[in-house]
Amino acid sequence: MSKRLKSPEKINATTSSVGENLNVPAKESSASESPELTRISLMDVAKRARVSTATVSRVLNNPESVRENKREAVKRACEELGYVVNGAARALSSKRSNTIGAVVPTLDTQTFSRSLDAFQRRLKEAGYTLLLSSSGFDSTVELDAVTTLLEHGIDALMIVGHTHDPRMWERIDRQRVPCVQILTLDTRHPSIGYDNVAVGHLIADHLVQLGHNQLGVIVGTPPTNDRVSNRIVGIRKRLAGSGLTLPPSCVIGDAFTLADGRQAALRLLNAQGGGPTAIICGNDQLAFGVLMAAASKGLRVPEDLSVIGFNNYDFAASLSPPLTTVNVNLIQLGQQSADYLLSQLQQGRPSASTARIETALIVRSSTGPAPKVAGRRRAKQAD
């Protein structure tokens, strides 16, 4: 399972050899005595498994070097005795903590929960534990989280996007910790993602081809969210190609939740002049909120208003109407990110500085031709 960062607890005990445990079972005691805790040592495991302490150590640190029957005996002894390896001692010996850190902007959306799940599963298969932190889209909080992870001795790190406090990369490079950025393509540092400008262009082109010339955009935290900022650049480029613009007043950049999406849509739709005929959202959760706002105003989707989401969340196809969105292969994103870091740790072999993941516009029923009679829609909005 993923672990959130906690301050390490002090252990008021010493270990006699690498790999000794932190957890100890209760020693048998009489009813009049308070139970004591005894430390289970490597020697205890060796005696139970009827092998040498050197064999126990090899099983714990390099199991492939030990015959299967002895491996099984040691594993069985560890389980019976409740033996837990002292990770700090092992790290001192191997110079590895077998932990990999990740800092993401939020855990509230499937954008990160799905990719992190795939990331963590891949790490677990390789014997690594994930240490996870959330920055709340704040670069200062992100810097503090990365610093704390480095202090905990992580072996590698995953971060999101390419816009960070400049001090962050200095600290990562000083520790010589492999790091990969996700959801972006960056020639300066290893990254796995997609071209957000191109995706924004694709979304806008779909709407322009349907006849829309008044667009609205609902997203969270540009310009600190470089993924969204680049998407808006792509949208504006495509509109400019048709002699259209996206005024700043048509971009709402402080929406994060479903309720935020609904309120932002109402702000756009209540604007003087009738508001946009199509709204592009930073994710499907915001788009869900836009659909709610449209229903509250008696607007039909897509006859009166077209709506596009992003990331193809698992509920997108089940909305009414089913949501047009951009599918991002978040599973592939998590897996490739883990594979890159593991390759750096295990073989140290060079790999490409950037890798692209699959994206595709999924056209469903929430987008359609622009309303032909604008006055009819304005009349609905005035009701």
Side-chain angles (χ1 to χ4, degrees):
M1 294 178 63
S2 302
K3 296 181 179 178
R4 290 183 177 273
L5 291 180
K6 296 182 179 179
S7 300
E9 298 179 359
K10 294 183 178 179
I11 305 299
N12 296 320
T14 58
T15 57
S16 58
S17 62
V18 172
E20 292 198 354
N21 74 304
L22 298 181
N23 287 8
V24 286
K27 185 177 20 176
E28 291 183 2
S29 60
S30 65
S32 60
E33 296 175 312
S34 61
E36 292 182 18
L37 295 179
T38 2
R39 180 180 308 260
I40 300 300
S41 70
L42 219 60
M43 180 66 75
D44 296 323
V45 176
K47 288 180 178 178
R48 176 66 66 94
R50 296 183 180 181
V51 297
S52 68
T53 54
T55 298
V56 175
S57 182
R58 286 199 302 274
V59 170
L60 296 176
N61 295 291
N62 189 22
E64 294 80 10
S65 66
V66 183
R67 290 200 304 269
E68 184 178 359
N69 63 330
K70 290 189 176 182
R71 285 203 311 267
E72 292 303 318
V74 170
K75 289 180 181 179
R76 188 164 52 251
C78 288
E79 291 177 2
E80 292 172 355
L81 294 172
Y83 181 86
V84 177
V85 173
N86 185 334
R90 172 185 276 180
L92 285 173
S93 173
S94 65
K95 297 183 180 179
R96 288 280 177 86
S97 67
N98 281 2
T99 59
I100 291 179
V103 182
V104 298
T106 179
L107 297 172
D108 286 342
T109 68
Q110 292 183 34
T111 307
F112 299 108
S113 63
R114 285 166 63 181
S115 55
L116 280 170
D117 182 66
F119 183 72
Q120 188 267 344
R121 287 174 183 271
R122 200 70 128 208
L123 297 185
K124 184 178 180 182
E125 291 171 1
Y128 284 83
T129 297
L130 174 63
L131 299 183
L132 178 62
S133 184
S134 174
S135 68
F137 292 94
D138 187 317
S139 60
T140 301
V141 174
E142 180 189 52
L143 175 64
D144 291 342
V146 168
T147 301
T148 301
L149 285 166
L150 293 172
E151 290 171 349
H152 276 67
I154 55 170
D155 297 325
L157 177 66
M158 182 185 79
I159 54 179
V160 178
H162 61 261
T163 303
H164 310 283
D165 188 302
R167 293 172 292 176
M168 191 189 73
W169 277 110
E170 295 174 6
R171 298 179 187 183
I172 293 171
D173 292 341
R174 192 178 301 124
Q175 296 296 319
R176 299 183 179 180
V177 169
C179 181
V180 66
Q181 302 173 126
I182 64 168
L183 296 174
T184 189
L185 297 177
D186 181 9
T187 57
R188 299 166 300 170
H189 301 286
S191 58
I192 298 175
Y194 48 87
D195 186 337
N196 280 284
V197 175
V199 171
H201 190 285
L202 177 68
I203 293 170
D205 182 68
H206 172 64
L207 294 173
V208 170
Q209 294 294 332
L210 289 171
H212 293 276
N213 55 26
Q214 293 176 278
L215 306 186
V217 174
I218 299 175
V219 292
T221 66
T224 57
N225 184 337
D226 52 68
R227 287 82 61 204
V228 163
S229 297
N230 285 346
R231 241 174 279 158
I232 293 174
V233 168
I235 292 169
R236 285 197 162 110
K237 281 186 175 181
R238 176 59 186 91
L239 292 179
S242 295
L244 305 173
T245 62
L246 179 67
S249 60
C250 291
V251 178
I252 295 180
D254 58 355
F256 300 93
T257 66
L258 186 150
D260 291 342
R262 182 179 184 278
Q263 290 302 316
L266 291 174
R267 284 163 58 187
L268 290 174
L269 296 171
N270 289 333
Q272 192 172 13
T277 61
I279 296 179
I280 300 169
C281 298
N283 61 45
D284 293 343
Q285 182 171 266
L286 295 176
F288 193 173
V290 174
L291 294 179
M292 293 172 62
S296 72
K297 293 184 67 62
L299 295 176
R300 299 168 301 164
V301 176
E303 292 85 357
D304 301 316
L305 177 70
S306 286
V307 182
I308 294 186
F310 199 87
N311 277 326
N312 197 23
Y313 291 170
D314 54 15
F315 58 77
S318 301
L319 294 176
S320 181
L323 183 66
T324 295
T325 185
V326 174
N327 184 68
V328 177
N329 194 329
L330 297 172
I331 305 302
Q332 180 191 17
L333 174 68
Q335 292 174 342
Q336 285 192 210
S337 302
D339 290 343
Y340 170 80
L341 294 176
L342 292 171
S343 71
Q344 299 302 297
L345 291 171
Q346 294 169 353
Q347 285 87 27
R349 64 172 181 262
S351 59
S353 59
T354 61
R356 292 178 181 267
I357 60 170
E358 301 167 7
T359 59
L361 179 66
I362 308 297
V363 179
R364 298 192 180 107
S365 304
S366 69
T367 53
K372 292 182 179 180
V373 184
R376 182 181 65 185
R377 206 190 97 167
R378 282 196 292 271
K380 284 177 175 286
Q381 293 172 320
D383 292 343

